Amino acid sequence: MADLSINFAGIKSPNPFWLASAPPANSGDQVHRAFEAGWGGAVWKTIGGPVLNVSNRYGAWHSGAQRMLAINNIELISDRPLEINLREIRDVKRNWPGRAVIVSAMVESKPAAWRTIVRQIEDTGADGIELNYGCPHGMSERGMGAAVGQVPEYCQQITAWVKEVSQLPVIVKLTPNVTNIVLPARAALAGGADALSLINTVNSIIGIDLDTLELSPSVGGKGGHGGYAGPAIKPIALNLLAALATDPELAKSNLPVSGMGGIATWRDAAEFLLLGATSLQVCTTVMHYGFRVVEDLIDGLSNWMNEKGFRTIADFQGRSVPRLSDFGNFDLSFRVVARIDQARCIKCNLCYVACHDTAHQCIDLITAHPEHRPHPQVREADCVGCRLCYNVCPVEKCIEMVEVPSGRAPLTWAQLAQAEPAVAEDWEAMKKYRDRHGIHIH
Amino acid sequence: MNGLTEALPPLSGHEALVEANRCLFCYDAPCTQACPTHIDIPRFIKKISTGNLTGSARTIFDANLLGATCARVCPVQELCEGACVLGSEHKPIAIGRLQRHTMDHAYSHGAAMPTVGAPTGFHVGVVGAGPAGLSCAGELARRGHAVTVYEKRDLGGGLSTYGIIALREPVGVALAEVEMIRNLGVRVLSGVEFGRDVTLDSLIGDHSAVFLSLGLGRTPDLGIRGEEHLVDGLEFIEQSKTSPAGPHVGRDVLVIGAGNTAIDCATIAKRLGAARVTILYRRTANEMTAYTHEYRFIQNEGVRFEFLTQPVEAIIDEGRLTGLRCRRMQRTGRGLPEPVSGSDFTLPADQIVKAIGQQKPPAFRGLETDRGYLRINDEMETSLAGVYAGGDCVRARGSASTVMAVQDGKRAAAAIHKALTGLIS
């Protein structure tokens, strides 16, 4: 049986699945029920200074019949009095000593304020502190959240204040609303952070109500940007996770990373772990379906690990990181072409129109018999292997991308640009290069 | 009427959205090719998925003015849905129900209703306000022609109003379509019978062109003794739709014939209280003209079949129908089954409904026919110049259907427009 337990910067958890700091982890009762359902940990909804919330605080993006591919929120940090939160945190931790209880915090950018909150958190018996540098709305207008996360100097400064007094592991939560995530991450490292977590929500506007022309959701006629989360942002989160994994300075530090951003299934979870995350935080899918989703997160991940022969999380954590590379290092001679399994093809001909209108015009419609519907056929010699047809095909295993020999030795753009700089700079040289190597682009 | 309200409920907005999103939006879609009126089906479905029901309705009306009727009565399993690429291994898209969703929206909101073209000064006469006639009239009005429709019945709509079982299409749907055609400026005169109140000569004299959509006649005679005690299947259906009391329904009902009308008659009898309903057919299930899904449906209704059975004589006792003497048939070769001598038997019945097709249209001087149906050329024109025809009265080949009639009307309108103005549209 797979062992899902983790040790994250000294914080032990029976499985890597933690409730992210968000509405699902807003109270002792909720976290208690989440732990009953099997969650390995919870990052308490951010505590800090006094706030007041508004109505219509969650917007959502629905795609077709699929509800809530993403959620957008303008909810602030916890609006429950500080002492109630602290008391409930203490109670939960006392009742669930084996689960990870981390407290997210955000206070004014003053050393004293941070020192106070750190001590209050430590008094609860919680396992760790997460510094919320990510919240993109509301709190950032008051100089907190993303307003800190977007300025590496502030990141470092506040992390240092906290580390001066904290006996607990300190996790710095990063905002994706920056040009280069590596800079605030390095700043947190320099400030003494014990771990990183990412990503917080992405700045977003859900949309406009076409009847009222107000922003959606509308808060009494007004609306604005909020934090975007859910399955739709997973690829963004993976990319930022990869950015941390490939930064030499961060890699050398070995800071553990808690990954989040659109984790909805155990498959998503496995992908975050493969790109180097140690713990995982989940929110939107819980807000959609409740705490019970953790059952399949654990079950699916365990079964996959068993099938793959991974005994522990550490066995595969970061396994895909060495596969991360840049375009300049990709083999230009690698060639695949699309093959259509005519026995499976239902002749919707979406591959044809996609290829013909928007890709490389290498799928023909063949009318084999006047009574029959024409079927799509790839002209392999002209197929550039772009994979669009594969992506639009609605039938499982109908279109496959098949590797074929290109007849050319492996060569990357970086190698080519170094060996023959003129080819990279001059179209005439490029044309000659193509002719020489039999590269014909129709 | 109990048991005879529209069988399928409308799709809710969410159901329609889910179903519309299942549509693959095929390129050069086979459903569109399979539709006799060539509605751009993926286009109207895509528009449902984007919440553009106005555009969706316009897409349907562009190809088919009677989309509300067709959404309900079309044998979609044989046409669009039968051609759906998701049909083979999955569930085809519920095209008929999606079309109804859009059409219901159009009629309830007055959205995207067809509009009249600039007046051309031409005036076309249309005989018959059934689907072919209404389609032709509406398409002509869209092109700016004045149109008068001559209808012998009280209500327009033809078989949509009188002959389609309410389970599939309530009267109101057909009448709303008549109203929509009227709103295009088309005059629909009811109670005017062709051959009695107006003649072909008078119509030719009064109009720039004439379109004949006469439909077919009543149910033909079986030629058996006691025939006068039998009920005409079409009248039976008609009463179920237009008479508040509904038709008289017996306890032991026999239906003769195995086409879709026979199925409808058996359904009505069963749903309106008959204890036993039996369908008699001279041949076997393989030769039935009813659609396969209809055959399955009626079996589930609890209707029995007597195949290879021929009616011989209605048995009348003291002026009351008590049964039907029948004779078994047998297959001797590839042709019609032969009666088996000495096989006569009697089925008890207090009502016998005959649903064995319709009489061919009456002959008119100067109009050539083909197997008894009006002969038309590729331009839908009869042997008389300027006189066009369509619908069931020209359907010498293939099976008659509402959607074919709509297409006939559409094509005839285009041909008439071209003949009158020299314009193709």
Side-chain angles (χ1 to χ4, degrees):
Chain A
M1 196 54 200
D3 175 6
L4 297 194
S5 68
I6 56 163
N7 182 336
F8 180 89
I11 303 170
K12 295 199 173 75
S13 175
N15 63 55
F17 300 111
W18 297 351
L19 290 181
S21 172
N26 189 40
S27 69
D29 170 61
Q30 286 168 288
V31 175
H32 175 75
R33 286 191 284 115
F35 285 170
E36 282 185 326
W39 290 87
V43 184
W44 209 271
K45 184 169 167 72
T46 306
I47 59 173
V51 297
L52 283 172
N53 270 306
V54 293
S55 287
N56 270 346
R57 61 187 82 160
Y58 304 142
W61 185 57
H62 315 292
S63 177
Q66 175 64 52
R67 305 292 295 177
M68 240 165 80
L69 265 177
I71 195 169
N72 149 301
N73 87 89
I74 51 168
E75 187 170 295
L76 302 177
I77 65 172
S78 179
D79 52 12
R80 305 168 75 235
L82 187 60
E83 68 274 15
I84 292 177
N85 273 312
L86 294 169
R87 190 175 69 226
E88 291 183 3
I89 292 165
R90 186 182 306 117
D91 290 347
V92 165
K93 184 61 208 180
R94 200 165 50 219
N95 286 324
W96 296 92
R99 306 296 170 91
V101 177
I102 293 107
V103 180
S104 172
M106 178 199 294
V107 292
E108 276 184 279
S109 298
K110 292 176 180 162
W114 279 102
R115 275 199 293 273
T116 305
I117 196 84
V118 166
R119 287 185 180 128
Q120 286 169 321
I121 291 168
E122 282 187 341
D123 284 348
T124 64
D127 302 296
I129 300 174
E130 184 177 80
L131 309 185
N132 182 344
Y133 290 175
C135 226
H137 54 271
M139 303 311 287
S140 54
E141 293 166 26
R142 289 163 59 178
M144 291 177 266
V148 173
Q150 286 165 339
V151 184
E153 292 77 11
Y154 296 169
C155 276
Q156 179 173 347
Q157 179 66 72
I158 291 174
T159 308
W161 290 341
V162 171
K163 279 299 290 179
E164 272 172 29
V165 290
S166 176
Q167 307 298 312
L168 297 176
V170 174
I171 308 164
V172 169
K173 183 167 178 178
L174 301 172
T175 173
N177 303 313
V178 292
T179 326
N180 181 0
I181 193 90
V182 167
L183 301 179
R186 284 182 186 165
L189 175 64
D194 300 294
L196 300 172
S197 61
L198 86 171
I199 58 176
N200 208 312
T201 54
V202 182
N203 261 336
S204 64
I205 283 175
I206 276 296
I208 312 286
D209 183 317
L210 294 184
D211 289 326
T212 63
L213 312 192
E214 291 172 0
L215 280 132
S216 175
S218 162
V219 182
K222 290 181 187 156
H225 73 95
Y228 200 49
I233 70 162
K234 187 190 94 172
I236 297 170
L238 285 179
N239 177 51
L240 295 178
L241 180 61
L244 301 190
T246 47
D247 179 62
E249 196 175 315
L250 290 164
K252 201 169 60 191
S253 75
N254 253 334
L255 275 194
V257 178
S258 186
M260 80 195 95
I263 295 175
T265 69
W266 64 267
R267 294 179 164 275
D268 303 327
E271 290 173 32
F272 276 77
L273 294 167
L274 286 164
L275 279 183
T278 301
S279 83
L280 305 166
Q281 297 186 34
V282 184
C283 174
T284 304
T285 193
V286 180
M287 292 183 74
H288 199 162
Y289 301 112
F291 297 130
R292 63 202 163 118
V293 297
V294 75
E295 191 276 332
D296 192 61
L297 288 173
I298 293 170
D299 186 46
L301 186 65
S302 303
N303 291 337
W304 173 77
M305 286 169 64
N306 289 340
E307 281 163 29
K308 286 283 175 190
F310 298 136
R311 217 172 39 77
T312 67
I313 298 284
D315 282 354
F316 67 96
Q317 190 203 3
R319 275 275 194 113
S320 298
V321 171
R323 298 281 183 173
L324 284 165
S325 191
D326 294 321
F327 185 92
N329 299 322
F330 295 160
D331 183 8
L332 300 167
S333 303
F334 171 72
R335 181 162 187 247
V336 294
V337 295
R339 288 252 169 93
I340 301 171
D341 183 342
Q342 297 297 345
R344 290 179 188 267
C345 176
I346 59 173
K347 301 172 187 64
C348 69
N349 298 345
L350 290 176
C351 58
Y352 165 76
V353 71
C355 180
H356 191 69
D357 281 4
T358 68
H360 298 88
Q361 298 81 41
C362 65
I363 296 180
D364 299 317
L365 281 184
I366 308 292
T367 304
H369 188 280
E371 294 285 300
H372 293 167
R373 185 164 161 76
H375 67 269
Q377 192 166 297
V378 179
R379 285 195 321 279
E380 285 191 8
D382 292 331
C383 177
V384 303
C386 76
R387 210 173 197 249
L388 178 62
C389 57
Y390 172 91
N391 288 314
V392 300
C393 180
V395 180
E396 199 181 2
K397 291 182 182 156
C398 179
I399 297 184
E400 274 190 281
M401 303 307 294
V402 182
E403 188 168 353
V404 293
S406 67
R408 304 190 301 272
L411 180 75
T412 67
W413 177 260
Q415 290 166 334
L416 175 62
Q418 193 178 26
E420 299 187 52
V423 175
E425 288 157 12
D426 175 42
W427 264 113
E428 285 308 313
M430 173 60 91
K431 278 194 234 167
K432 283 184 192 139
Y433 173 81
R434 288 182 178 181
D435 287 342
R436 218 161 56 234
H437 293 275
I439 300 171
H440 302 293
I441 296 166
H442 77 289
Chain B
M1 216 172 297
N2 194 20
L4 287 180
T5 47
E6 192 161 18
L8 293 173
L11 294 176
S12 71
H14 183 254
E15 284 175 310
L17 182 68
V18 169
E19 191 62 10
N21 274 299
R22 277 207 319 125
C23 174
L24 296 177
F25 203 49
C26 289
Y27 175 76
D28 195 14
C31 50
T32 292
Q33 293 167 5
C35 172
T37 60
H38 305 304
I39 295 173
D40 191 336
I41 292 167
R43 181 185 297 231
F44 94 70
I45 291 180
K46 186 83 170 171
K47 288 175 189 294
I48 293 175
S49 77
T50 68
N52 179 9
L53 288 176
T54 300
S56 181
R58 190 169 290 128
T59 303
I60 294 166
F61 282 135
D62 276 352
N64 184 328
L65 282 175
L66 305 187
T69 284
C70 286
R72 291 164 166 90
V73 307
C74 264
V76 289
Q77 295 91 332
E78 314 284 328
L79 300 172
C80 53
E81 292 181 19
C84 177
V85 301
L86 294 180
S88 54
E89 290 178 36
H90 317 273
K91 236 174 62 184
I93 301 297
I95 298 168
R97 297 188 74 187
L98 286 172
Q99 180 167 319
R100 180 176 151 194
H101 178 75
T102 292
M103 287 287 98
D104 284 353
H105 173 86
Y107 278 92
S108 60
H109 290 72
M113 284 299 175
T115 51
V116 188
T120 60
F122 293 107
H123 186 192
V124 180
V126 171
V127 180
L134 291 178
S135 169
C136 185
E139 296 289 355
L140 288 166
R142 282 175 144 183
R143 292 168 171 86
H145 304 295
V147 187
T148 302
V149 179
Y150 304 92
E151 169 56 49
K152 68 178 172 190
R153 313 290 304 252
D154 292 339
L155 301 172
L159 285 178
S160 304
T161 298
Y162 291 106
I164 302 279
I165 185 170
L167 227 52
R168 280 207 295 280
E169 184 182 13
V171 174
V173 174
L175 296 184
E177 286 182 330
V178 176
E179 203 50 37
M180 179 268 290
I181 298 293
R182 277 207 168 102
N183 288 340
L184 289 172
V186 172
R187 289 173 71 212
V188 181
L189 307 178
S190 59
V192 181
E193 187 168 344
F194 182 55
R196 188 190 71 190
D197 306 317
V198 289
T199 64
L200 192 52
D201 287 341
S202 72
L203 290 177
I204 293 171
D206 289 347
H207 299 292
S208 322
V210 174
F211 179 66
L212 301 176
S213 46
L214 309 170
L216 298 174
R218 34 191 315 264
T219 309
D221 286 343
L222 284 161
I224 61 170
R225 286 226 320 237
E227 176 116 25
E228 66 277 12
H229 289 272
L230 271 50
V231 177
D232 181 317
L234 287 173
E235 288 172 15
F236 191 64
I237 296 174
E238 180 181 327
Q239 284 164 19
S240 80
K241 291 196 81 175
T242 57
S243 149
H248 163 73
V249 174
R251 193 175 150 72
D252 277 303
V253 180
L254 300 180
V255 178
I256 300 169
N260 294 305
T261 304
I263 303 278
D264 287 351
C265 291
T267 307
I268 293 165
K270 193 77 193 171
R271 297 234 168 164
L272 295 188
R276 276 169 296 280
V277 180
T278 308
I279 291 179
L280 267 64
Y281 185 42
R282 280 187 302 167
R283 308 189 207 194
T284 70
N286 294 332
E287 290 93 21
M288 284 175 65
T289 53
Y291 296 117
T292 313
H293 60 271
E294 291 285 300
Y295 179 40
R296 267 190 232 118
F297 165 79
I298 200 66
Q299 285 176 309
N300 287 335
E301 290 279 298
V303 168
R304 290 179 52 241
F305 277 80
E306 289 283 355
F307 289 112
L308 291 168
T309 300
Q310 176 166 279
V312 177
E313 177 188 5
I315 300 169
I316 315 299
D317 183 13
E318 294 181 355
R320 266 182 51 239
L321 178 69
T322 61
L324 182 69
R325 197 149 62 80
C326 306
R327 188 166 295 162
R328 288 289 180 212
M329 310 291 281
Q330 69 179 0
R331 275 256 122 89
T332 50
R334 300 176 65 191
L336 277 173
E338 304 276 339
V340 181
S341 63
S343 67
D344 286 13
F345 64 104
T346 300
L347 289 172
D350 57 358
Q351 186 173 44
I352 302 173
V353 181
K354 55 178 180 176
I356 53 169
Q358 287 179 268
Q359 285 174 336
K360 291 170 183 177
F364 290 96
R365 196 159 40 84
L367 288 179
E368 289 176 16
T369 56
D370 174 9
R371 306 175 190 197
Y373 299 86
L374 297 186
R375 182 195 294 282
I376 52 169
N377 63 18
D378 289 346
E379 296 282 284
M380 312 293 294
E381 196 169 17
T382 65
S383 52
L384 277 179
V387 178
Y388 298 75
D392 290 357
C393 68
V394 304
R395 191 115 297 106
R397 292 173 187 78
S399 57
S401 66
T402 307
V403 68
M404 291 296 293
V406 173
Q407 179 68 355
D408 282 357
K410 191 172 96 180
R411 286 183 56 212
I416 291 167
H417 180 71
K418 188 176 144 200
L420 295 179
T421 66
L423 298 173
I424 298 171
S425 75

